[in-house]
Amino acid sequence: MKIIKCLSELIEEELEDANHYVDLAMKWKSEEPDTADLFYQLSTEEMGHVDKLHEEVTELIEEHRKEHGEPPKEMMVLYEYLHEKHIGTATQIKIKQGMYKA
């Protein structure tokens, strides 16, 4: 399912952007608090995009199961690997976001 590959790549891009924005928020927090707040907001919005893209992936997998049975094992192994990687990255970003708000 090539669409899942596409969605996974988009998730990675959104995670990279969210991480970049939260890093900028942390960097500018004391010198430019309003701009830092904007960066923080953008970071949280990017994480919202991640959630929406992930929901789409899970819906597509469920649709495939209903219509065709289990997806190919190789595809699921790759998906699970990428999913775990994305969860790890998302967790690090959420920690940074929490540090910014502290």
Side-chain angles (χ1 to χ4, degrees):
M1 294 175 51
K2 292 179 182 179
I3 190 67
I4 291 179
K5 178 181 183 258
C6 175
L7 290 165
S8 291
E9 290 170 352
L10 290 171
I11 288 170
E12 288 192 25
E13 290 175 17
E14 298 292 340
L15 288 168
E16 288 173 11
D17 290 346
N19 191 52
H20 181 67
Y21 283 127
V22 76
D23 285 345
L24 288 170
M26 298 289 279
K27 176 179 179 178
W28 293 104
K29 185 175 183 176
S30 61
E31 289 182 50
E32 294 289 339
D34 291 340
T35 305
D37 285 346
L38 171 63
F39 291 144
Y40 171 80
Q41 179 185 355
L42 292 171
S43 178
T44 60
E45 289 174 7
E46 297 294 339
M47 292 303 287
H49 298 166
V50 169
D51 291 340
K52 289 177 183 179
L53 292 166
H54 179 258
E55 287 173 20
E56 184 65 18
V57 169
T58 57
E59 287 175 17
L60 287 169
I61 291 171
E62 283 306 309
E63 285 176 19
H64 187 277
R65 284 186 174 124
K66 289 177 185 173
E67 295 175 13
H68 308 286
E70 285 298 313
K73 185 174 182 161
E74 298 82 11
M75 184 193 87
M76 290 307 298
V77 167
L78 180 57
Y79 166 74
E80 289 169 6
Y81 166 76
L82 291 173
H83 183 63
E84 289 297 318
K85 179 180 168 188
H86 295 159
I87 288 172
T89 302
T91 299
Q92 291 173 346
I93 292 166
K94 289 177 184 179
I95 290 169
K96 288 181 184 181
Q97 289 172 338
M99 290 169 54
Y100 176 80
K101 289 312 260 184

